[in-house]
Amino acid sequence: MLAEWTSKWIKVIDKFNDIVIDDFDYKNGIQGPITMKHCVKCIAINQCWFLDEEGKKPEEVNYGIEEIIKDTKNKIGLYHYNCHCKKIDIPKPKESDIKLIIPQGKIDWLFKDKSGWIKAMGHEPNNDFLEYLKNQIRTSYTLGKYYIMKIDNHGVAIGIQLIINGAREKSGKTYVLSSGWMVFSNGKLKSNTLIADWWKNEVV
């Protein structure tokens, strides 16, 4: 409970750039003339929300004192020299603040390829389970139970810890899985893989 109250969330903003990762199609990712003015990383994280902890937010540059003194032509920036990005504090997001973007193909894949997993946890691969899954994803993300896997021209890829309570004959068991998402602007998450794998092979 203490961790929840003391957790700090940030939003990355670039006042010189209104373009966000949402503006690009996922197949091709960030491309075009905008990349001549802004780096791919800064476009990918613009207007996105992160827990202000190592591994859960974009890595900042740690400039050494010699580096700062020697390089007088460039301005020290958050993620690179001459970076326009700034961090601003935001309230801890509520579950209702998080909008999940799930292409139909991801749902079809879940019900087909992960059907055995779902049934093994005592659930059925149907819309009731999908809604339960969505709620668990929102809960885990807002509690900061995720980590950044990579940042590239497709955006910020994160792995979210997914807690599934067993149902029916599996009632009383808890399954800890991983779910893959892309962080989009202003509280949006886009699904990569609804159920990816076990979270460090942990079942409690």
Side-chain angles (χ1 to χ4, degrees), residues 35 70 77 81 96 118 123 183 187:
T35 58
K70 178 186 281 187
Y81 281 115
S96 58
I118 297 169
H123 294 272
V183 179

Side-chain angles (χ1 to χ4, degrees), residues 132-174:
Y132 171 73
L133 199 64
K134 290 178 183 179
N135 290 334
Q136 298 305 97
I137 288 163
R138 292 189 187 98
T139 297
S140 286
Y141 177 69
T142 55
L143 290 175
K145 294 182 178 180
Y146 73 89
Y147 66 97
I148 292 179
M149 296 189 291
K150 64 178 179 178
I151 303 176
D152 59 18
N153 66 309
H154 293 294
V156 182
I158 63 172
I160 297 179
Q161 185 187 72
L162 188 57
I163 307 296
I164 302 295
N165 293 316
R168 295 182 300 197
E169 70 277 5
K170 300 295 185 179
S171 181
K173 291 190 175 182
T174 302

Side-chain angles (χ1 to χ4, degrees), residues 25-45:
D25 69 272
Y26 185 70
K27 181 178 180 181
N28 297 307
I30 298 168
Q31 58 179 348
I34 187 68
T35 58
M36 302 296 291
K37 296 181 179 180
H38 304 275
C39 78
V40 167
K41 177 178 179 178
C42 292
I43 298 171
I45 63 180

